[in-house]
Amino acid sequence: MEFKIRCTPPSKDNQFYYSKLNWEYPKFVDECTWCAWGRLEELGIPIPDLNKHLPKSNAENWYTDTKYEKRSYPTTGDVLCYSAGTIHHKDDGMGHVAIVERVNDDLSIFISESGHNMKFKTRILKPPYKFYLN
């Protein structure tokens, strides 16, 4: 399957985001875990694998509770995991996740994300990175 970068929000008819295939739908639409889960499904990761390897909880837990490989360098399709307080207030207990859409030659990364008080967006992050990867 060819990797296609997501630069725009998913359409309302995209089943990976707007159906029961996404465990966050409909209660947590636009949250970061909803967006990351849908994107991983869209990238071809089977739902049984996601259910087995990722926690169904706050983004804060995605790094510590994942069964996927963890690494300190980004690759396309990775999940970025931010600890609580990195994006929001340090006591929120939520953390944040985003998806690596592309790694550039200068090692900056193009990511897609959504989240609390933030609709879908993309941005470029440059090293040094302040998150974990899995």
Side-chain angles (χ1 to χ4, degrees):
M1 180 174 140
E2 180 185 344
F3 186 91
K4 293 183 182 176
I5 294 172
R6 174 161 285 290
C7 296
T8 59
S11 64
K12 299 284 185 190
D13 65 348
N14 187 321
Q15 67 178 350
F16 299 122
Y17 298 87
Y18 294 98
S19 78
K20 294 294 183 181
L21 293 177
N22 190 315
W23 71 277
E24 295 268 12
Y25 179 82
K27 189 173 180 183
F28 296 107
V29 168
D30 291 328
E31 293 293 332
C32 64
T33 49
W34 164 84
C35 186
W37 190 278
R39 184 65 176 128
L40 292 170
E41 284 184 55
E42 193 173 51
L43 292 173
I45 299 175
I47 294 171
D49 289 352
L50 292 173
N51 284 326
K52 180 179 177 184
H53 298 297
L54 284 178
K56 290 184 177 177
S57 61
N58 285 334
E60 173 76 4
N61 303 321
W62 278 38
Y63 184 78
T64 55
D65 296 345
T66 187
K67 307 272 189 303
Y68 285 114
E69 173 189 357
K70 298 173 186 174
R71 46 181 173 261
S72 59
Y73 56 90
T75 61
T76 300
D78 278 349
V79 177
L80 304 181
C81 297
Y82 296 85
S83 61
T86 307
I87 300 294
H88 304 294
H89 187 273
K90 68 179 181 174
D91 296 326
D92 70 7
M94 291 192 278
H96 183 64
V97 292
I99 301 293
V100 176
E101 298 290 340
R102 179 181 64 231
V103 179
N104 299 314
D105 291 339
D106 67 355
L107 297 182
S108 64
I109 55 176
F110 179 75
I111 66 168
S112 64
E113 62 186 328
S114 191
H116 186 70
N117 295 325
M118 169 181 53
K119 296 287 186 180
F120 178 91
K121 71 177 188 174
T122 60
R123 61 185 169 135
I124 294 176
L125 303 176
K126 296 184 180 206
Y129 308 115
K130 297 184 183 202
F131 47 77
Y132 301 102
L133 293 146
N134 68 330

